[in-house]
Amino acid sequence: MTTLPLESLDRYRNYSALFIRLLVGPFIIWGVQDNILSGERMLEFESFLAGRGVPYAPFAARLSVYTQFVCGV
């Protein structure tokens, strides 16, 4: 009987979501931490959003950054 190349990893299937979160979470946190720690970077992000017509850019910028940070955690 032949086995598929990754069939031996089937026993870890329940841990796959956790594994992906552990890989992706730090990148998300790293990507938004500069906006949280620097008011200048947050203003730059607000300007970026405002330039693209996002309504309530200051609120949207903070909501976006902090939501991404919480999701990364």
Side-chain angles (χ1 to χ4, degrees):
M1 180 171 188
T2 62
T3 61
L4 297 173
L6 298 178
E7 193 172 297
S8 63
L9 298 176
D10 195 42
R11 60 185 162 173
Y12 300 112
R13 180 181 302 244
N14 294 335
Y15 300 107
S16 60
L18 175 64
F19 179 70
I20 291 170
R21 288 178 182 157
L22 290 174
L23 286 176
V24 173
F27 287 108
I28 293 173
I29 293 169
W30 177 76
V32 298
Q33 58 86 24
D34 61 335
N35 289 334
I36 292 173
L37 299 175
S38 170
E40 184 177 305
R41 293 287 294 169
M42 183 64 82
L43 291 174
E44 184 180 319
F45 185 49
E46 287 175 21
S47 298
F48 171 80
L49 293 178
R52 277 143 185 83
V54 175
Y56 308 110
F59 174 75
R62 283 166 179 71
L63 178 65
S64 173
V65 167
Y66 288 109
T67 300
Q68 290 178 61
F69 182 78
V70 168
C71 288
V73 171

